[in-house]
Amino acid sequence: MSRPACPICQKPSAPRAENPSYPFCSRRCRAVDLGRWLGEEYRVPDRQVDEQEDELPPGYPERGGDA
């Protein structure tokens, strides 16, 4: 069975029992990843300006009149 690749350098990464930096291959790669998070290189996409939580989607029939 092959070892999973380090997400930073793609080298094989030893299992968690043998490697305290798992899933990274080394402390250096773990620190690089942390630096990317702190430098805001990883981001979750923001909602579009036209997508608001309190608005109905376009073309959705509006409720009106007495029910």
Side-chain angles (χ1 to χ4, degrees):
M1 189 156 126
S2 66
R3 293 180 173 187
C6 173
I8 300 300
C9 70
Q10 305 306 313
K11 291 180 184 176
S13 181
R16 186 180 307 272
E18 301 170 21
N19 179 6
S21 296
Y22 186 83
F24 306 98
C25 68
S26 66
R27 289 177 53 194
R28 180 194 168 278
C29 285
R30 187 179 192 121
V32 167
D33 185 69
L34 178 61
R36 289 179 181 174
W37 279 106
L38 296 174
E40 298 182 359
E41 292 180 44
Y42 299 138
R43 295 174 181 238
V44 176
D46 196 11
R47 291 180 184 237
Q48 296 289 336
V49 174
D50 58 342
E51 293 180 20
Q52 300 295 324
E53 287 185 27
D54 58 343
E55 294 180 5
L56 294 174
Y60 193 85
E62 291 184 30
R63 293 183 189 183
D66 295 315

